[in-house]
Amino acid sequence: MGLKPEEDKRPSKLAIMDEETSDTPRGLGRRHFVTFMLFLGMANAYIMRTNMSVAIVAMVNHTALPVVAEHIDTECGVDHANASSNAAQDGEFVWSSTLQGYILSSFFYGYVLTQIPFGILSKRYGARLFLGVGMLINSVFGLLVPIAAHAGVEWLILIRFIQGLGEGPIVPCSHAMLAKWIPPNERSRMGAAVYAGAQFGTVISMPLSGLLSAYGFSGGWPSIFYVFGVIGTIWCLGFLFFVSEDPEQCTRIQENEKKYILNSLWGTAGSSSPPIPWSKILMSMPFWAIMLAHMGQNYGYETLMTELPTFMRQVLHFSIKDNGFVSALPYLCMWLFSMFISVVADWMLSSGRLNHTQVRKIINSIGEYGPAIGLFIAANTGCNPAATVAILAIGVGLNGGIYSGFKVNHLDLSPRFAGILMAFTNCLANLTGLLAPIVAGYIIEGRPTQAQWRKVFYIAAGVYIFCGTFYNIFGSGRRQDWDNPAEDEAIAKKAAEKKAAKQERKAAKNQIQETAH
């Protein structure tokens, strides 16, 4: 939809090479610094959302929870050594699996509420301030989590909800800034680099949270929130002081790099704010293809991110200290693979053999079908912890393909409205994602067995496959005709004429009323 027949032709290899080599600044520039800061911001965001997944294992008194005895899985026997070790590490809160699911998902209720509003506001007023201040709120309230937990579960859920509100701008505003700073031929690499911060944050958060739970100050788990809250606050201040909204407002950028960026971003950068074509966006099948792909990704990803530490403890009997390291391994693989596949994606585009649509679908298929297959296999590895961890590491690692797949596809469809598109897809995707810990909590409530966890993995794998297939059928990598800067003047003129006609009708109506009186 919105595609012209000639737009489906493969790009000229010579034209692409000319575009990449002409006037391209050599070495690292300001756009690389902005990308690095956004990478750290994304890492910080995922640290703040994943640290609760590890901390809650240390916070809960698992031995005090009621268990349905007749449903205990005796397939693998009982690891008494680890069981006694875990019992000694039990925390002070008696929270059921269902309640834990609501605590873990409370963050996402706040997170989804601010997606669309900040996506729209960032288009009109700029993304930098919303991103920096929002993450500052997230970090500061993270420091209050231990106090809230001791005050009552209601206060804990409220604090996590407020943290989610603060983190809401991170994805749409990062996308909006990428659209202003990154030329098209660098999007796969730079976009993947920014969003790989999610895996980097998870890789840092999970093992360090495990160590802090076992050896940290203030009783162990509270130190998780104090340490990461301070780190997040420092990043926010650095971002607000050293990062500019776009190349035109940046005083530290070299002139040749500024020209290179602005010349490559036709109708993208600048202060103009054309009307948002809501109806055309909502009727665009490529947009809905991204939406479904994003929803499927989030459901599968959140299932693993929020529940993997619990699975490692309940089924594979890892101690809290080891839990963080083992749970982080799949995300380390995902981070490394996302960086590798992003270079491959840009090479595929530069070669001229494949167009954007083909590259996005191939790479995204790896990113969504890979973890689905991994989940199916991991659900049936039986009593082999090493095999289960290895399969999950490979499957989740392949998930890194989504960053050079649907995740940067918003920028292909509409560079100028990329932040708004991302706000919509990320909002609905996280609404889907917040169901993941709740569904898992209900399935394993009182029955933390292999058979129940197998259901959790099967559901996530099925969602991955369905949504990945939908994207392959309806996705596109072509800029849509509703994002055409050449038509801005005509659209603005039409809107002005419509507004003038409305004012004339209103004036005529007022004149008639005055005459009648």
Side-chain angles (χ1 to χ4, degrees):
M1 303 197 55
L3 298 176
K4 296 180 175 65
E6 63 270 16
E7 289 177 327
D8 284 328
K9 295 179 181 178
R10 292 183 180 179
S12 165
K13 181 176 180 179
L14 182 60
I16 293 175
M17 293 179 66
D18 286 343
E19 177 188 356
E20 290 184 344
T21 57
S22 62
D23 300 325
T24 303
R26 300 203 175 270
L28 297 177
R30 200 66 193 174
R31 68 191 186 284
H32 298 100
F33 174 75
V34 172
T35 299
F36 178 66
M37 288 299 288
L38 290 174
F39 162 81
L40 292 180
M42 196 66 64
N44 179 48
Y46 272 73
I47 284 172
M48 301 306 287
R49 71 163 74 180
T50 57
N51 54 19
M52 177 59 78
S53 301
V54 177
I56 203 168
V57 178
M59 296 167 73
V60 172
N61 187 337
H62 299 272
T63 56
L65 296 177
V67 177
V68 181
E70 62 270 21
H71 289 290
I72 291 179
D73 186 7
T74 57
E75 253 185 318
C76 303
V78 179
D79 189 337
H80 295 287
N82 271 332
S84 60
S85 172
N86 286 336
Q89 296 168 339
D90 271 341
E92 57 196 285
F93 303 105
V94 183
W95 295 333
S96 68
S97 295
T98 302
L99 182 55
Q100 291 177 52
Y102 281 114
I103 293 171
L104 290 171
S105 63
S106 60
F107 179 96
F108 299 98
Y109 285 104
Y111 182 68
V112 299
L113 285 178
T114 47
Q115 294 287 309
I116 295 175
F118 280 116
I120 296 172
L121 290 171
S122 67
K123 177 61 182 171
R124 183 174 295 272
Y125 300 108
R128 172 185 153 276
L129 198 59
F130 291 123
L131 197 163
V133 174
M135 286 302 298
L136 184 62
I137 292 171
N138 183 12
S139 300
V140 170
F141 274 84
L143 298 169
L144 302 178
V145 168
I147 299 172
H150 288 104
V153 69
E154 298 85 0
W155 286 104
L156 176 59
I157 289 175
L158 177 61
I159 291 296
R160 291 292 290 173
F161 174 79
I162 294 173
Q163 281 190 274
L165 289 175
E167 191 167 311
I170 183 71
V171 173
C173 290
S174 293
H175 229 58
M177 293 195 70
L178 283 172
K180 296 175 181 178
W181 277 95
I182 308 303
N185 62 307
E186 298 180 3
R187 280 178 189 154
S188 294
R189 293 191 298 272
M190 299 294 203
V194 169
Y195 289 107
Q199 277 62 61
F200 180 77
T202 305
V203 168
I204 294 296
S205 174
M206 284 188 165
L208 188 53
S209 294
L211 289 174
L212 289 172
S213 293
Y215 306 115
F217 57 92
S218 297
W221 65 263
S223 61
I224 296 172
F225 301 97
Y226 296 141
V227 169
F228 290 131
V230 170
I231 292 173
T233 301
I234 293 172
W235 174 85
C236 294
L237 296 176
F239 179 81
L240 290 170
F241 278 113
F242 297 113
V243 174
S244 301
E245 179 67 30
D246 54 47
E248 292 177 297
Q249 298 182 37
C250 183
T251 57
R252 299 180 176 92
I253 191 173
Q254 296 292 326
E255 192 62 29
N256 64 330
E257 185 184 13
K258 180 191 289 189
K259 289 180 180 179
Y260 166 66
I261 295 173
L262 296 180
N263 289 340
S264 65
L265 298 178
W266 173 59
T268 300
S271 57
S272 63
S273 183
I276 301 170
W278 295 112
S279 60
K280 292 181 180 179
I281 290 175
L282 295 176
M283 292 175 65
S284 172
M285 283 306 294
F287 166 72
W288 286 104
I290 296 176
M291 178 77 79
L292 264 291
H294 205 158
M295 291 170 70
Q297 155 65 16
N298 265 49
Y299 185 89
Y301 187 82
E302 299 300 343
T303 295
L304 289 169
M305 188 174 67
T306 59
E307 298 299 325
L308 195 56
T310 303
F311 171 75
M312 294 295 184
R313 184 189 191 282
Q314 292 181 342
V315 176
L316 303 183
H317 305 296
F318 284 98
S319 68
I320 290 176
K321 178 169 62 71
D322 297 331
N323 197 331
F325 285 95
V326 177
S327 297
L329 182 60
Y331 302 102
L332 174 61
C333 295
M334 186 175 177
W335 175 42
L336 296 174
F337 183 73
S338 67
M339 301 308 296
F340 164 75
I341 202 67
S342 68
V343 175
V344 173
D346 276 344
W347 172 81
M348 292 167 71
L349 289 171
S350 299
S351 70
R353 296 185 180 91
L354 299 169
N355 59 36
H356 277 74
T357 300
Q358 293 165 332
V359 171
R360 297 295 179 231
K361 290 181 178 181
I362 291 171
I363 303 298
N364 195 72
S365 293
I366 297 172
E368 301 224 38
Y369 294 152
I373 295 170
L375 283 167
F376 274 121
I377 297 174
N380 294 281
T381 50
C383 306
N384 192 332
T388 303
V389 171
I391 292 299
L392 285 174
I394 295 172
V396 176
L398 293 174
N399 196 204
I402 59 107
Y403 296 113
S404 297
F406 80 81
K407 204 87 171 195
V408 295
N409 198 195
H410 308 72
L411 297 168
D412 298 326
L413 299 188
S414 174
R416 297 189 301 167
F417 305 115
I420 292 170
L421 298 186
M422 175 56 88
F424 270 90
T425 65
N426 205 44
C427 176
L428 289 185
N430 278 279
L431 282 173
T432 306
L434 67 83
L435 293 175
I438 295 176
V439 170
Y442 274 114
I443 291 175
I444 64 175
E445 177 71 49
R447 299 186 298 277
T449 64
Q450 275 197 344
Q452 295 304 107
W453 277 103
R454 191 173 295 125
K455 295 176 184 177
V456 174
F457 286 177
Y458 280 169
I459 291 171
V463 172
Y464 264 132
I465 290 173
F466 173 79
C467 295
T469 302
F470 188 93
Y471 179 83
N472 284 337
I473 295 172
F474 298 106
S476 173
R478 297 291 180 260
R479 187 168 185 170
Q480 301 296 285
D481 61 359
W482 39 264
D483 184 18
N484 186 352
E487 297 179 359
D488 284 353
E489 187 175 346
I491 293 173
K493 184 178 179 181
K494 186 176 179 181
E497 290 174 351
K498 187 176 180 180
K499 184 177 180 180
K502 184 177 180 181
Q503 290 175 340
E504 287 178 6
R505 288 195 299 270
K506 185 176 180 181
K509 184 178 179 181
N510 291 338
Q511 188 174 5
I512 292 172
Q513 290 176 345
E514 289 175 2
T515 304
H517 289 299

